[in-house]
Amino acid sequence: MIVAYWIVAAPLGLLLVFAGWKKTTQSQERLAPMMGWVDTVPMPLVRFIGAVEILGAAGLVLPPLTGIAPALAIAAAIGFAVLQILAAALHLSRGEVKETGLNVPLILLAGVTAWLATAF
């Protein structure tokens, strides 16, 4: 189960760091072509979401890696699932049904990651 956790959690963590880094460092104009919703959300909230994503990646990786508070990995995975549920809801509220196509598998992966994290 531990190997399976890393197979799922490592790419999920990389995705979180990538998405979070973009949201925390790029301007609204640079983000808008990739993330149309940034025009309707205040930039401090976009930056906050990016920071949460980066911290979530740390929560997926550091506790199991160090053995310190491994339950935080479960919390990070559940938090990522909640974030993706909220993202899907935002897309649906904007009539962007097609954009939820990535949210659904990410929610499922986060759920699997949370379950696999119980091995620690």
Side-chain angles (χ1 to χ4, degrees):
M1 256 176 85
I2 292 172
V3 172
Y5 174 83
W6 288 111
I7 289 171
V8 178
L12 204 56
L14 289 173
L15 176 72
L16 280 167
V17 168
F18 176 74
W21 185 258
K22 283 191 160 300
K23 290 179 186 98
T24 57
T25 61
Q26 292 187 348
S27 68
Q28 189 173 24
E29 294 76 28
R30 291 210 50 202
L31 290 172
M34 297 173 285
M35 304 172 205
W37 58 271
V38 298
D39 290 340
T40 59
V41 176
M43 273 313 281
L45 181 57
V46 174
R47 302 276 190 236
F48 176 75
I49 292 168
V52 166
E53 288 173 336
I54 293 169
L55 290 172
L60 286 177
V61 174
L62 293 177
L65 201 60
T66 63
I68 299 170
L72 289 177
I74 299 169
I78 292 170
F80 182 63
V82 169
L83 182 68
Q84 288 304 309
I85 290 167
L86 294 172
L90 176 69
H91 287 304
L92 291 173
S93 74
R94 292 173 42 93
E96 302 169 341
V97 177
K98 188 175 162 185
E99 279 76 4
T100 61
L102 183 59
N103 299 120
V104 173
L106 289 176
I107 292 165
L108 295 174
L109 280 174
V112 169
T113 304
W115 175 68
L116 291 171
T118 62
F120 296 101

PDB file of all heavy atoms in Angstrom, residues 4-42:
ATOM      1  N   ALA A   4       1.950   2.012  -3.521  1.00  0.00           N
ATOM      2  CA  ALA A   4       0.794   2.550  -4.246  1.00  0.00           C
ATOM      3  C   ALA A   4       0.531   3.999  -3.845  1.00  0.00           C
ATOM      4  O   ALA A   4       0.184   4.829  -4.697  1.00  0.00           O
ATOM      5  CB  ALA A   4      -0.438   1.686  -3.988  1.00  0.00           C
ATOM      6  N   TYR A   5       0.716   4.297  -2.557  1.00  0.00           N
ATOM      7  CA  TYR A   5       0.520   5.672  -2.107  1.00  0.00           C
ATOM      8  C   TYR A   5       1.452   6.612  -2.872  1.00  0.00           C
ATOM      9  O   TYR A   5       1.017   7.637  -3.384  1.00  0.00           O
ATOM     10  CB  TYR A   5       0.773   5.808  -0.601  1.00  0.00           C
ATOM     11  CG  TYR A   5       0.725   7.251  -0.149  1.00  0.00           C
ATOM     12  CD1 TYR A   5      -0.487   7.855   0.118  1.00  0.00           C
ATOM     13  CD2 TYR A   5       1.882   8.028  -0.030  1.00  0.00           C
ATOM     14  CE1 TYR A   5      -0.560   9.191   0.496  1.00  0.00           C
ATOM     15  CE2 TYR A   5       1.826   9.354   0.342  1.00  0.00           C
ATOM     16  CZ  TYR A   5       0.599   9.933   0.611  1.00  0.00           C
ATOM     17  OH  TYR A   5       0.533  11.265   0.975  1.00  0.00           O
ATOM     18  N   TRP A   6       2.723   6.248  -2.941  1.00  0.00           N
ATOM     19  CA  TRP A   6       3.682   7.133  -3.602  1.00  0.00           C
ATOM     20  C   TRP A   6       3.434   7.224  -5.106  1.00  0.00           C
ATOM     21  O   TRP A   6       3.667   8.276  -5.709  1.00  0.00           O
ATOM     22  CB  TRP A   6       5.111   6.690  -3.305  1.00  0.00           C
ATOM     23  CG  TRP A   6       5.471   7.004  -1.893  1.00  0.00           C
ATOM     24  CD1 TRP A   6       5.676   6.122  -0.883  1.00  0.00           C
ATOM     25  CD2 TRP A   6       5.602   8.303  -1.318  1.00  0.00           C
ATOM     26  NE1 TRP A   6       5.938   6.796   0.287  1.00  0.00           N
ATOM     27  CE2 TRP A   6       5.906   8.134   0.049  1.00  0.00           C
ATOM     28  CE3 TRP A   6       5.497   9.603  -1.811  1.00  0.00           C
ATOM     29  CZ2 TRP A   6       6.110   9.201   0.910  1.00  0.00           C
ATOM     30  CZ3 TRP A   6       5.702  10.669  -0.950  1.00  0.00           C
ATOM     31  CH2 TRP A   6       5.998  10.469   0.393  1.00  0.00           C
ATOM     32  N   ILE A   7       2.938   6.152  -5.712  1.00  0.00           N
ATOM     33  CA  ILE A   7       2.625   6.179  -7.140  1.00  0.00           C
ATOM     34  C   ILE A   7       1.509   7.185  -7.419  1.00  0.00           C
ATOM     35  O   ILE A   7       1.510   7.861  -8.443  1.00  0.00           O
ATOM     36  CB  ILE A   7       2.255   4.763  -7.639  1.00  0.00           C
ATOM     37  CG1 ILE A   7       3.503   3.891  -7.656  1.00  0.00           C
ATOM     38  CG2 ILE A   7       1.592   4.811  -9.012  1.00  0.00           C
ATOM     39  CD1 ILE A   7       3.230   2.421  -7.915  1.00  0.00           C
ATOM     40  N   VAL A   8       0.564   7.297  -6.493  1.00  0.00           N
ATOM     41  CA  VAL A   8      -0.561   8.223  -6.676  1.00  0.00           C
ATOM     42  C   VAL A   8      -0.238   9.608  -6.115  1.00  0.00           C
ATOM     43  O   VAL A   8      -0.516  10.627  -6.748  1.00  0.00           O
ATOM     44  CB  VAL A   8      -1.840   7.649  -6.014  1.00  0.00           C
ATOM     45  CG1 VAL A   8      -2.993   8.617  -6.142  1.00  0.00           C
ATOM     46  CG2 VAL A   8      -2.205   6.317  -6.630  1.00  0.00           C
ATOM     47  N   ALA A   9       0.359   9.660  -4.932  1.00  0.00           N
ATOM     48  CA  ALA A   9       0.573  10.933  -4.239  1.00  0.00           C
ATOM     49  C   ALA A   9       1.656  11.794  -4.888  1.00  0.00           C
ATOM     50  O   ALA A   9       1.533  13.023  -4.896  1.00  0.00           O
ATOM     51  CB  ALA A   9       0.920  10.686  -2.777  1.00  0.00           C
ATOM     52  N   ALA A  10       2.689  11.188  -5.418  1.00  0.00           N
ATOM     53  CA  ALA A  10       3.779  11.975  -6.006  1.00  0.00           C
ATOM     54  C   ALA A  10       3.293  12.805  -7.202  1.00  0.00           C
ATOM     55  O   ALA A  10       3.513  14.023  -7.228  1.00  0.00           O
ATOM     56  CB  ALA A  10       4.948  11.076  -6.386  1.00  0.00           C
ATOM     57  N   PRO A  11       2.608  12.212  -8.195  1.00  0.00           N
ATOM     58  CA  PRO A  11       2.117  13.046  -9.294  1.00  0.00           C
ATOM     59  C   PRO A  11       1.070  14.067  -8.842  1.00  0.00           C
ATOM     60  O   PRO A  11       1.034  15.193  -9.340  1.00  0.00           O
ATOM     61  CB  PRO A  11       1.500  12.052 -10.280  1.00  0.00           C
ATOM     62  CG  PRO A  11       1.998  10.721  -9.890  1.00  0.00           C
ATOM     63  CD  PRO A  11       2.383  10.796  -8.458  1.00  0.00           C
ATOM     64  N   LEU A  12       0.245  13.667  -7.877  1.00  0.00           N
ATOM     65  CA  LEU A  12      -0.756  14.598  -7.356  1.00  0.00           C
ATOM     66  C   LEU A  12      -0.069  15.782  -6.679  1.00  0.00           C
ATOM     67  O   LEU A  12      -0.458  16.937  -6.860  1.00  0.00           O
ATOM     68  CB  LEU A  12      -1.674  13.865  -6.373  1.00  0.00           C
ATOM     69  CG  LEU A  12      -3.051  14.421  -6.132  1.00  0.00           C
ATOM     70  CD1 LEU A  12      -3.838  14.578  -7.409  1.00  0.00           C
ATOM     71  CD2 LEU A  12      -3.806  13.513  -5.168  1.00  0.00           C
ATOM     72  N   GLY A  13       0.979  15.499  -5.918  1.00  0.00           N
ATOM     73  CA  GLY A  13       1.741  16.562  -5.273  1.00  0.00           C
ATOM     74  C   GLY A  13       2.410  17.480  -6.281  1.00  0.00           C
ATOM     75  O   GLY A  13       2.420  18.706  -6.124  1.00  0.00           O
ATOM     76  N   LEU A  14       2.973  16.903  -7.339  1.00  0.00           N
ATOM     77  CA  LEU A  14       3.590  17.722  -8.390  1.00  0.00           C
ATOM     78  C   LEU A  14       2.560  18.613  -9.070  1.00  0.00           C
ATOM     79  O   LEU A  14       2.838  19.782  -9.354  1.00  0.00           O
ATOM     80  CB  LEU A  14       4.286  16.831  -9.421  1.00  0.00           C
ATOM     81  CG  LEU A  14       5.562  16.149  -8.957  1.00  0.00           C
ATOM     82  CD1 LEU A  14       6.058  15.158 -10.014  1.00  0.00           C
ATOM     83  CD2 LEU A  14       6.638  17.173  -8.636  1.00  0.00           C
ATOM     84  N   LEU A  15       1.393  18.069  -9.321  1.00  0.00           N
ATOM     85  CA  LEU A  15       0.322  18.866  -9.921  1.00  0.00           C
ATOM     86  C   LEU A  15      -0.068  20.021  -9.008  1.00  0.00           C
ATOM     87  O   LEU A  15      -0.257  21.147  -9.460  1.00  0.00           O
ATOM     88  CB  LEU A  15      -0.893  17.993 -10.216  1.00  0.00           C
ATOM     89  CG  LEU A  15      -2.111  18.734 -10.748  1.00  0.00           C
ATOM     90  CD1 LEU A  15      -1.870  19.181 -12.184  1.00  0.00           C
ATOM     91  CD2 LEU A  15      -3.340  17.859 -10.661  1.00  0.00           C
ATOM     92  N   LEU A  16      -0.161  19.741  -7.716  1.00  0.00           N
ATOM     93  CA  LEU A  16      -0.505  20.786  -6.752  1.00  0.00           C
ATOM     94  C   LEU A  16       0.552  21.880  -6.723  1.00  0.00           C
ATOM     95  O   LEU A  16       0.223  23.071  -6.697  1.00  0.00           O
ATOM     96  CB  LEU A  16      -0.670  20.194  -5.351  1.00  0.00           C
ATOM     97  CG  LEU A  16      -1.990  19.523  -5.055  1.00  0.00           C
ATOM     98  CD1 LEU A  16      -1.894  18.705  -3.774  1.00  0.00           C
ATOM     99  CD2 LEU A  16      -3.087  20.549  -4.932  1.00  0.00           C
ATOM    100  N   VAL A  17       1.811  21.499  -6.714  1.00  0.00           N
ATOM    101  CA  VAL A  17       2.890  22.493  -6.693  1.00  0.00           C
ATOM    102  C   VAL A  17       2.859  23.321  -7.975  1.00  0.00           C
ATOM    103  O   VAL A  17       2.965  24.554  -7.924  1.00  0.00           O
ATOM    104  CB  VAL A  17       4.268  21.817  -6.518  1.00  0.00           C
ATOM    105  CG1 VAL A  17       5.402  22.784  -6.794  1.00  0.00           C
ATOM    106  CG2 VAL A  17       4.391  21.241  -5.112  1.00  0.00           C
ATOM    107  N   PHE A  18       2.686  22.667  -9.114  1.00  0.00           N
ATOM    108  CA  PHE A  18       2.643  23.381 -10.395  1.00  0.00           C
ATOM    109  C   PHE A  18       1.493  24.382 -10.425  1.00  0.00           C
ATOM    110  O   PHE A  18       1.687  25.561 -10.746  1.00  0.00           O
ATOM    111  CB  PHE A  18       2.514  22.375 -11.543  1.00  0.00           C
ATOM    112  CG  PHE A  18       2.359  23.014 -12.887  1.00  0.00           C
ATOM    113  CD1 PHE A  18       3.447  23.616 -13.514  1.00  0.00           C
ATOM    114  CD2 PHE A  18       1.139  23.022 -13.536  1.00  0.00           C
ATOM    115  CE1 PHE A  18       3.316  24.214 -14.760  1.00  0.00           C
ATOM    116  CE2 PHE A  18       0.999  23.602 -14.774  1.00  0.00           C
ATOM    117  CZ  PHE A  18       2.080  24.206 -15.393  1.00  0.00           C
ATOM    118  N   ALA A  19       0.290  23.915 -10.084  1.00  0.00           N
ATOM    119  CA  ALA A  19      -0.888  24.795 -10.113  1.00  0.00           C
ATOM    120  C   ALA A  19      -0.758  25.912  -9.077  1.00  0.00           C
ATOM    121  O   ALA A  19      -1.076  27.071  -9.358  1.00  0.00           O
ATOM    122  CB  ALA A  19      -2.151  23.991  -9.859  1.00  0.00           C
ATOM    123  N   GLY A  20      -0.288  25.575  -7.896  1.00  0.00           N
ATOM    124  CA  GLY A  20      -0.128  26.572  -6.842  1.00  0.00           C
ATOM    125  C   GLY A  20       0.916  27.612  -7.194  1.00  0.00           C
ATOM    126  O   GLY A  20       0.734  28.807  -6.943  1.00  0.00           O
ATOM    127  N   TRP A  21       2.019  27.161  -7.780  1.00  0.00           N
ATOM    128  CA  TRP A  21       3.085  28.086  -8.173  1.00  0.00           C
ATOM    129  C   TRP A  21       2.568  29.088  -9.197  1.00  0.00           C
ATOM    130  O   TRP A  21       2.846  30.284  -9.095  1.00  0.00           O
ATOM    131  CB  TRP A  21       4.269  27.297  -8.728  1.00  0.00           C
ATOM    132  CG  TRP A  21       5.443  28.166  -9.030  1.00  0.00           C
ATOM    133  CD1 TRP A  21       5.851  28.608 -10.256  1.00  0.00           C
ATOM    134  CD2 TRP A  21       6.353  28.732  -8.091  1.00  0.00           C
ATOM    135  NE1 TRP A  21       6.960  29.405 -10.128  1.00  0.00           N
ATOM    136  CE2 TRP A  21       7.289  29.498  -8.809  1.00  0.00           C
ATOM    137  CE3 TRP A  21       6.475  28.653  -6.709  1.00  0.00           C
ATOM    138  CZ2 TRP A  21       8.327  30.191  -8.189  1.00  0.00           C
ATOM    139  CZ3 TRP A  21       7.513  29.334  -6.101  1.00  0.00           C
ATOM    140  CH2 TRP A  21       8.418  30.088  -6.837  1.00  0.00           C
ATOM    141  N   LYS A  22       1.825  28.606 -10.180  1.00  0.00           N
ATOM    142  CA  LYS A  22       1.266  29.511 -11.189  1.00  0.00           C
ATOM    143  C   LYS A  22       0.350  30.543 -10.536  1.00  0.00           C
ATOM    144  O   LYS A  22       0.437  31.728 -10.833  1.00  0.00           O
ATOM    145  CB  LYS A  22       0.492  28.729 -12.246  1.00  0.00           C
ATOM    146  CG  LYS A  22       1.371  28.024 -13.245  1.00  0.00           C
ATOM    147  CD  LYS A  22       0.519  27.525 -14.383  1.00  0.00           C
ATOM    148  CE  LYS A  22       1.316  27.266 -15.605  1.00  0.00           C
ATOM    149  NZ  LYS A  22       2.026  28.367 -16.171  1.00  0.00           N
ATOM    150  N   LYS A  23      -0.523  30.098  -9.645  1.00  0.00           N
ATOM    151  CA  LYS A  23      -1.484  31.012  -9.024  1.00  0.00           C
ATOM    152  C   LYS A  23      -0.815  32.020  -8.096  1.00  0.00           C
ATOM    153  O   LYS A  23      -1.307  33.130  -7.932  1.00  0.00           O
ATOM    154  CB  LYS A  23      -2.547  30.223  -8.262  1.00  0.00           C
ATOM    155  CG  LYS A  23      -3.487  29.473  -9.172  1.00  0.00           C
ATOM    156  CD  LYS A  23      -4.500  28.681  -8.360  1.00  0.00           C
ATOM    157  CE  LYS A  23      -5.344  27.809  -9.250  1.00  0.00           C
ATOM    158  NZ  LYS A  23      -4.887  26.432  -9.296  1.00  0.00           N
ATOM    159  N   THR A  24       0.290  31.631  -7.483  1.00  0.00           N
ATOM    160  CA  THR A  24       0.950  32.551  -6.549  1.00  0.00           C
ATOM    161  C   THR A  24       1.938  33.487  -7.227  1.00  0.00           C
ATOM    162  O   THR A  24       2.298  34.510  -6.637  1.00  0.00           O
ATOM    163  CB  THR A  24       1.685  31.782  -5.425  1.00  0.00           C
ATOM    164  OG1 THR A  24       2.619  30.881  -6.002  1.00  0.00           O
ATOM    165  CG2 THR A  24       0.710  31.045  -4.536  1.00  0.00           C
ATOM    166  N   THR A  25       2.379  33.173  -8.437  1.00  0.00           N
ATOM    167  CA  THR A  25       3.429  33.984  -9.050  1.00  0.00           C
ATOM    168  C   THR A  25       3.009  34.730 -10.305  1.00  0.00           C
ATOM    169  O   THR A  25       3.636  35.732 -10.651  1.00  0.00           O
ATOM    170  CB  THR A  25       4.657  33.121  -9.404  1.00  0.00           C
ATOM    171  OG1 THR A  25       4.270  32.113 -10.335  1.00  0.00           O
ATOM    172  CG2 THR A  25       5.261  32.498  -8.159  1.00  0.00           C
ATOM    173  N   GLN A  26       1.978  34.252 -11.007  1.00  0.00           N
ATOM    174  CA  GLN A  26       1.636  34.874 -12.285  1.00  0.00           C
ATOM    175  C   GLN A  26       0.534  35.918 -12.122  1.00  0.00           C
ATOM    176  O   GLN A  26      -0.277  35.858 -11.211  1.00  0.00           O
ATOM    177  CB  GLN A  26       1.213  33.814 -13.303  1.00  0.00           C
ATOM    178  CG  GLN A  26       2.370  32.940 -13.710  1.00  0.00           C
ATOM    179  CD  GLN A  26       2.024  32.000 -14.840  1.00  0.00           C
ATOM    180  OE1 GLN A  26       0.875  31.823 -15.188  1.00  0.00           O
ATOM    181  NE2 GLN A  26       3.043  31.381 -15.413  1.00  0.00           N
ATOM    182  N   SER A  27       0.533  36.848 -13.041  1.00  0.00           N
ATOM    183  CA  SER A  27      -0.469  37.915 -13.026  1.00  0.00           C
ATOM    184  C   SER A  27      -1.818  37.377 -13.490  1.00  0.00           C
ATOM    185  O   SER A  27      -1.908  36.311 -14.115  1.00  0.00           O
ATOM    186  CB  SER A  27      -0.042  39.055 -13.953  1.00  0.00           C
ATOM    187  OG  SER A  27      -0.079  38.611 -15.300  1.00  0.00           O
ATOM    188  N   GLN A  28      -2.840  38.148 -13.210  1.00  0.00           N
ATOM    189  CA  GLN A  28      -4.193  37.790 -13.617  1.00  0.00           C
ATOM    190  C   GLN A  28      -4.273  37.648 -15.141  1.00  0.00           C
ATOM    191  O   GLN A  28      -4.922  36.740 -15.653  1.00  0.00           O
ATOM    192  CB  GLN A  28      -5.174  38.844 -13.120  1.00  0.00           C
ATOM    193  CG  GLN A  28      -6.619  38.467 -13.288  1.00  0.00           C
ATOM    194  CD  GLN A  28      -7.530  39.478 -12.623  1.00  0.00           C
ATOM    195  OE1 GLN A  28      -7.167  40.635 -12.430  1.00  0.00           O
ATOM    196  NE2 GLN A  28      -8.713  39.042 -12.251  1.00  0.00           N
ATOM    197  N   GLU A  29      -3.586  38.518 -15.858  1.00  0.00           N
ATOM    198  CA  GLU A  29      -3.592  38.489 -17.315  1.00  0.00           C
ATOM    199  C   GLU A  29      -2.961  37.207 -17.862  1.00  0.00           C
ATOM    200  O   GLU A  29      -3.401  36.665 -18.866  1.00  0.00           O
ATOM    201  CB  GLU A  29      -2.867  39.706 -17.896  1.00  0.00           C
ATOM    202  CG  GLU A  29      -3.555  41.037 -17.618  1.00  0.00           C
ATOM    203  CD  GLU A  29      -3.358  41.538 -16.180  1.00  0.00           C
ATOM    204  OE1 GLU A  29      -2.325  41.201 -15.543  1.00  0.00           O
ATOM    205  OE2 GLU A  29      -4.252  42.231 -15.684  1.00  0.00           O
ATOM    206  N   ARG A  30      -1.913  36.739 -17.216  1.00  0.00           N
ATOM    207  CA  ARG A  30      -1.250  35.499 -17.668  1.00  0.00           C
ATOM    208  C   ARG A  30      -2.052  34.268 -17.290  1.00  0.00           C
ATOM    209  O   ARG A  30      -1.992  33.256 -17.989  1.00  0.00           O
ATOM    210  CB  ARG A  30       0.152  35.407 -17.067  1.00  0.00           C
ATOM    211  CG  ARG A  30       1.042  36.471 -17.680  1.00  0.00           C
ATOM    212  CD  ARG A  30       2.474  36.164 -17.793  1.00  0.00           C
ATOM    213  NE  ARG A  30       2.769  34.883 -18.408  1.00  0.00           N
ATOM    214  CZ  ARG A  30       3.913  34.250 -18.222  1.00  0.00           C
ATOM    215  NH1 ARG A  30       4.830  34.757 -17.440  1.00  0.00           N
ATOM    216  NH2 ARG A  30       4.148  33.101 -18.813  1.00  0.00           N
ATOM    217  N   LEU A  31      -2.779  34.333 -16.174  1.00  0.00           N
ATOM    218  CA  LEU A  31      -3.574  33.191 -15.748  1.00  0.00           C
ATOM    219  C   LEU A  31      -4.884  33.055 -16.515  1.00  0.00           C
ATOM    220  O   LEU A  31      -5.377  31.944 -16.717  1.00  0.00           O
ATOM    221  CB  LEU A  31      -3.883  33.297 -14.243  1.00  0.00           C
ATOM    222  CG  LEU A  31      -2.725  33.094 -13.290  1.00  0.00           C
ATOM    223  CD1 LEU A  31      -3.151  33.431 -11.872  1.00  0.00           C
ATOM    224  CD2 LEU A  31      -2.193  31.672 -13.374  1.00  0.00           C
ATOM    225  N   ALA A  32      -5.446  34.173 -16.940  1.00  0.00           N
ATOM    226  CA  ALA A  32      -6.782  34.179 -17.554  1.00  0.00           C
ATOM    227  C   ALA A  32      -6.938  33.232 -18.744  1.00  0.00           C
ATOM    228  O   ALA A  32      -7.964  32.558 -18.842  1.00  0.00           O
ATOM    229  CB  ALA A  32      -7.172  35.604 -17.929  1.00  0.00           C
ATOM    230  N   PRO A  33      -5.967  33.137 -19.667  1.00  0.00           N
ATOM    231  CA  PRO A  33      -6.171  32.204 -20.787  1.00  0.00           C
ATOM    232  C   PRO A  33      -6.286  30.741 -20.348  1.00  0.00           C
ATOM    233  O   PRO A  33      -6.968  29.950 -20.979  1.00  0.00           O
ATOM    234  CB  PRO A  33      -4.931  32.398 -21.659  1.00  0.00           C
ATOM    235  CG  PRO A  33      -4.417  33.744 -21.304  1.00  0.00           C
ATOM    236  CD  PRO A  33      -4.768  33.948 -19.865  1.00  0.00           C
ATOM    237  N   MET A  34      -5.617  30.379 -19.252  1.00  0.00           N
ATOM    238  CA  MET A  34      -5.658  29.000 -18.759  1.00  0.00           C
ATOM    239  C   MET A  34      -6.789  28.785 -17.773  1.00  0.00           C
ATOM    240  O   MET A  34      -7.310  27.685 -17.660  1.00  0.00           O
ATOM    241  CB  MET A  34      -4.337  28.654 -18.056  1.00  0.00           C
ATOM    242  CG  MET A  34      -3.131  28.698 -18.927  1.00  0.00           C
ATOM    243  SD  MET A  34      -1.631  28.472 -17.965  1.00  0.00           S
ATOM    244  CE  MET A  34      -1.485  30.073 -17.183  1.00  0.00           C
ATOM    245  N   MET A  35      -7.095  29.828 -17.014  1.00  0.00           N
ATOM    246  CA  MET A  35      -8.081  29.747 -15.941  1.00  0.00           C
ATOM    247  C   MET A  35      -9.003  30.948 -16.047  1.00  0.00           C
ATOM    248  O   MET A  35      -8.769  31.977 -15.422  1.00  0.00           O
ATOM    249  CB  MET A  35      -7.375  29.751 -14.579  1.00  0.00           C
ATOM    250  CG  MET A  35      -6.352  28.677 -14.397  1.00  0.00           C
ATOM    251  SD  MET A  35      -5.427  28.924 -12.873  1.00  0.00           S
ATOM    252  CE  MET A  35      -3.926  28.079 -13.274  1.00  0.00           C
ATOM    253  N   GLY A  36     -10.042  30.805 -16.829  1.00  0.00           N
ATOM    254  CA  GLY A  36     -10.957  31.920 -17.073  1.00  0.00           C
ATOM    255  C   GLY A  36     -11.623  32.456 -15.821  1.00  0.00           C
ATOM    256  O   GLY A  36     -12.032  33.613 -15.769  1.00  0.00           O
ATOM    257  N   TRP A  37     -11.706  31.639 -14.790  1.00  0.00           N
ATOM    258  CA  TRP A  37     -12.374  32.039 -13.562  1.00  0.00           C
ATOM    259  C   TRP A  37     -11.617  33.101 -12.782  1.00  0.00           C
ATOM    260  O   TRP A  37     -12.197  33.764 -11.926  1.00  0.00           O
ATOM    261  CB  TRP A  37     -12.632  30.819 -12.672  1.00  0.00           C
ATOM    262  CG  TRP A  37     -11.391  30.064 -12.302  1.00  0.00           C
ATOM    263  CD1 TRP A  37     -10.820  29.040 -12.993  1.00  0.00           C
ATOM    264  CD2 TRP A  37     -10.563  30.282 -11.162  1.00  0.00           C
ATOM    265  NE1 TRP A  37      -9.683  28.607 -12.362  1.00  0.00           N
ATOM    266  CE2 TRP A  37      -9.501  29.351 -11.227  1.00  0.00           C
ATOM    267  CE3 TRP A  37     -10.600  31.175 -10.102  1.00  0.00           C
ATOM    268  CZ2 TRP A  37      -8.510  29.278 -10.268  1.00  0.00           C
ATOM    269  CZ3 TRP A  37      -9.606  31.099  -9.136  1.00  0.00           C
ATOM    270  CH2 TRP A  37      -8.571  30.160  -9.229  1.00  0.00           C
ATOM    271  N   VAL A  38     -10.333  33.314 -13.065  1.00  0.00           N
ATOM    272  CA  VAL A  38      -9.570  34.298 -12.287  1.00  0.00           C
ATOM    273  C   VAL A  38     -10.076  35.720 -12.501  1.00  0.00           C
ATOM    274  O   VAL A  38      -9.819  36.596 -11.681  1.00  0.00           O
ATOM    275  CB  VAL A  38      -8.048  34.223 -12.552  1.00  0.00           C
ATOM    276  CG1 VAL A  38      -7.492  32.878 -12.154  1.00  0.00           C
ATOM    277  CG2 VAL A  38      -7.704  34.551 -13.967  1.00  0.00           C
ATOM    278  N   ASP A  39     -10.809  35.946 -13.587  1.00  0.00           N
ATOM    279  CA  ASP A  39     -11.374  37.280 -13.832  1.00  0.00           C
ATOM    280  C   ASP A  39     -12.544  37.585 -12.900  1.00  0.00           C
ATOM    281  O   ASP A  39     -12.872  38.752 -12.688  1.00  0.00           O
ATOM    282  CB  ASP A  39     -11.854  37.408 -15.283  1.00  0.00           C
ATOM    283  CG  ASP A  39     -10.689  37.455 -16.266  1.00  0.00           C
ATOM    284  OD1 ASP A  39      -9.564  37.771 -15.834  1.00  0.00           O
ATOM    285  OD2 ASP A  39     -10.913  37.164 -17.446  1.00  0.00           O
ATOM    286  N   THR A  40     -13.165  36.546 -12.359  1.00  0.00           N
ATOM    287  CA  THR A  40     -14.347  36.749 -11.512  1.00  0.00           C
ATOM    288  C   THR A  40     -14.039  36.593 -10.028  1.00  0.00           C
ATOM    289  O   THR A  40     -14.925  36.778  -9.201  1.00  0.00           O
ATOM    290  CB  THR A  40     -15.460  35.757 -11.894  1.00  0.00           C
ATOM    291  OG1 THR A  40     -14.975  34.425 -11.730  1.00  0.00           O
ATOM    292  CG2 THR A  40     -15.902  35.969 -13.331  1.00  0.00           C
ATOM    293  N   VAL A  41     -12.808  36.247  -9.707  1.00  0.00           N
ATOM    294  CA  VAL A  41     -12.398  36.019  -8.317  1.00  0.00           C
ATOM    295  C   VAL A  41     -11.313  37.037  -7.978  1.00  0.00           C
ATOM    296  O   VAL A  41     -10.408  37.266  -8.780  1.00  0.00           O
ATOM    297  CB  VAL A  41     -11.867  34.576  -8.149  1.00  0.00           C
ATOM    298  CG1 VAL A  41     -11.344  34.331  -6.764  1.00  0.00           C
ATOM    299  CG2 VAL A  41     -12.954  33.569  -8.492  1.00  0.00           C
ATOM    300  N   PRO A  42     -11.374  37.651  -6.807  1.00  0.00           N
ATOM    301  CA  PRO A  42     -10.318  38.609  -6.434  1.00  0.00           C
ATOM    302  C   PRO A  42      -8.934  37.937  -6.416  1.00  0.00           C
ATOM    303  O   PRO A  42      -8.799  36.796  -5.974  1.00  0.00           O
ATOM    304  CB  PRO A  42     -10.712  39.066  -5.029  1.00  0.00           C
ATOM    305  CG  PRO A  42     -12.139  38.678  -4.861  1.00  0.00           C
ATOM    306  CD  PRO A  42     -12.398  37.532  -5.773  1.00  0.00           C
TER     307      PRO A  42
END
